[in-house]
Amino acid sequence: MFFNNFLTSSLLLAATASALPAEVERRATNQYLTNSHTAITELQTFYNSPRPGFWSAGWWNTANCLTLLADLRAKDSSSFLTSITDGPNGVFKHTLNSQNKDSTGALAWDDFFDDQLWWVVALVKTYDVTKDSSFLKTANDSFNAITLNDKPSNNPCGGLANAYPSEKYLVKSSTIATVLYVEAAALLATRYPAQKTYFINQAKTQWSWITQNILIDGIMQGDALTGNPPSCGNNHAFLTYIEGVALQALVALYHATNDASYLTTADTLATKLLSGKYGMMDNNKIALEFCDNDLSCNPDTAQFKGIMMRGLRTLRDAKPSAAGGQIKSFLTKNADSIWANSRQSGTNLLGQKWAGPFALGSSQALQLSSHSSATMALVEAALANM
């Protein structure tokens, strides 16, 4: 079967070797782009394992792999990347065609709303690159299904749940589900002009809940609210991916509304984040998840840090002076550390702890989450240097 041998390492290396002179020149002036291509070559060795069309055992992790390729493809039209992403047999179209959908056209691989929302964002980004309306339609159908099925009565403390009520791992008032919903709604607002007001109102309603309960002292604190009013509890957890999605949501709201106050809020958040005071980076300003030091991350938490990097780069694109202009140097410093200290010799597999030393995860799922998260960091550094 073609897809069982889809884009093998030898094909990818051949594409690199046959790169056009202009591509070679650009890579020579942007080492982060060269390193991104190398990391993506390794990423593609996971493609279709263990499920057809997916990079990972984790459905939401696969959405983030798709997003990192779409982010890069938006600015990188090299033969290396287009040979992976474009055309009827490229990973963009193949990955969409491999999805399970319900009778409404919404994605239905699992019953977690946050997982589905990662896919909404990924499909919007892929639509922007391909201009193929099937990506946007699936994103819209999936968003509508979430809106229909997330019942306020199941969330006494407000916000969105992360799943249908029957899900045994249901988290009510989930921060990540809510902030992803804000980002998704704001992205759809600028791509469906006739429904712009509707999508903006959906985004604003949930962002209001975030500002009242989670955005505390200028930075996102807490991954959920628990209990019942008036005693809704917040654990004040600091998780890198929540910060990253909040930045993306704020930038998307700015583009949807042209209200610069959203960028001001994002600027404050990024400044707080990069201060290093909240446990999300080490003393050398290398990104750090709470589970990195003892290498206890699971395939979910190992994915988080790259999402923070995407949020920071998204903000820098919209406001280069954000966080005192230090975002680019932060992205490049982390990419440098990954490449020098957290890369396996011979395979170019990237590790979980970006400050090093390289450590191999205990399962394929964990290895892939760590590698794809670090690859995101390389991609965001490359984009910041374009």
Side-chain angles (χ1 to χ4, degrees):
M1 293 294 289
F2 172 75
F3 286 122
N4 287 338
N5 297 293
F6 189 79
L7 296 175
T8 63
S9 295
S10 60
L11 176 59
L12 296 176
L13 292 173
T16 304
S18 62
L20 298 175
E23 298 169 17
V24 174
E25 181 180 356
R26 180 165 56 164
R27 280 185 244 172
T29 59
N30 187 344
Q31 185 63 40
Y32 302 103
L33 182 60
T34 303
N35 294 347
S36 294
H37 286 187
T38 301
I40 289 168
T41 299
E42 183 67 24
L43 180 67
Q44 288 307 108
T45 67
F46 290 92
Y47 195 75
N48 280 335
S49 176
R51 298 190 180 108
F54 304 140
W55 289 268
S56 170
W59 191 49
W60 82 274
N61 307 82
T62 286
N64 277 280
C65 292
L66 189 65
T67 302
L68 81 84
L69 290 173
D71 279 345
L72 186 59
R73 180 64 183 86
K75 291 188 177 181
D76 179 5
S77 58
S78 66
S79 60
F80 168 84
L81 192 59
T82 57
S83 71
I84 296 171
T85 59
D86 292 15
N89 293 323
V91 297
F92 287 158
K93 195 67 175 178
H94 180 226
T95 303
L96 176 62
N97 289 344
S98 300
Q99 298 301 309
N100 289 348
K101 297 180 182 179
D102 65 19
S103 60
T104 71
L107 296 182
W109 187 271
D110 68 23
D111 56 1
F112 286 98
F113 297 139
D114 52 345
D115 288 6
Q116 293 162 350
L117 286 163
W118 289 113
W119 277 96
V120 172
V121 172
L123 292 173
V124 170
K125 295 285 190 77
T126 310
Y127 163 75
D128 288 347
V129 172
T130 64
K131 302 305 178 186
D132 181 337
S133 61
S134 62
F135 291 96
L136 188 60
K137 181 181 185 304
T138 304
N140 189 30
D141 290 342
S142 300
F143 180 87
N144 288 336
I146 295 160
T147 302
L148 178 66
N149 289 295
D150 191 89
K151 307 296 185 183
S153 58
N154 297 323
N155 286 305
C157 292
L160 272 73
N162 74 325
Y164 290 91
S166 59
E167 169 57 54
K168 65 180 289 188
Y169 298 108
L170 173 70
V171 175
K172 298 181 179 182
S173 301
S174 164
T175 300
I176 192 60
T178 306
V179 76
L180 276 168
Y181 186 90
V182 174
E183 181 187 5
L187 290 173
L188 290 168
T190 57
R191 290 151 181 89
Y192 282 99
Q195 297 175 264
K196 185 173 185 178
T197 299
Y198 163 75
F199 284 119
I200 289 174
N201 287 340
Q202 293 296 109
K204 284 183 173 180
T205 296
Q206 297 303 331
W207 184 252
S208 177
W209 179 83
I210 292 289
T211 59
Q212 293 170 30
N213 297 283
I214 305 296
L215 188 69
I216 300 168
D217 191 28
I219 192 165
M220 300 288 285
Q221 300 187 37
D223 63 350
L225 296 186
T226 58
N228 291 282
S231 301
C232 295
N234 183 335
N235 62 7
H236 297 280
F238 293 100
L239 298 172
T240 57
Y241 79 146
I242 288 177
E243 310 299 336
V245 176
L247 291 172
Q248 293 169 76
L250 285 162
V251 173
L253 275 167
Y254 162 69
H255 287 308
T257 64
N258 203 33
D259 183 346
S261 69
Y262 291 114
L263 288 186
T264 300
T265 300
D267 191 345
T268 300
L269 193 161
T271 301
K272 296 267 187 178
L273 178 60
L274 295 184
S275 72
K277 296 178 180 178
Y278 299 91
M280 291 178 281
M281 59 195 66
D282 65 18
N283 292 335
N284 293 317
K285 297 295 182 73
I286 303 301
L288 188 71
E289 205 63 56
F290 70 92
C291 52
D292 279 343
N293 282 329
D294 62 358
L295 297 174
S296 64
C297 294
N298 62 32
D300 283 338
T301 51
Q303 193 77 59
F304 288 0
K305 297 191 296 295
I307 296 162
M308 178 177 73
M309 310 309 270
R310 186 164 71 229
L312 287 165
R313 194 270 309 164
T314 300
L315 174 59
R316 183 180 180 275
D317 282 356
K319 187 177 182 180
S321 64
Q326 62 181 314
I327 292 176
K328 180 179 177 180
S329 63
F330 179 76
L331 295 175
T332 56
K333 182 174 185 177
N334 275 264
D336 289 340
S337 183
I338 290 167
W339 202 251
N341 304 312
S342 192
R343 177 168 57 104
Q344 186 179 52
S345 176
T347 68
N348 290 310
L349 188 66
L350 305 176
Q352 174 183 319
K353 189 174 180 181
W354 293 357
F358 173 84
L360 194 64
S362 59
S363 67
Q364 184 187 69
L366 182 55
Q367 290 172 26
L368 181 57
S369 294
S370 298
H371 179 79
S372 61
S373 182
T375 301
M376 285 185 216
L378 300 183
V379 166
E380 302 310 331
L383 291 170
N385 281 276
M386 285 184 177

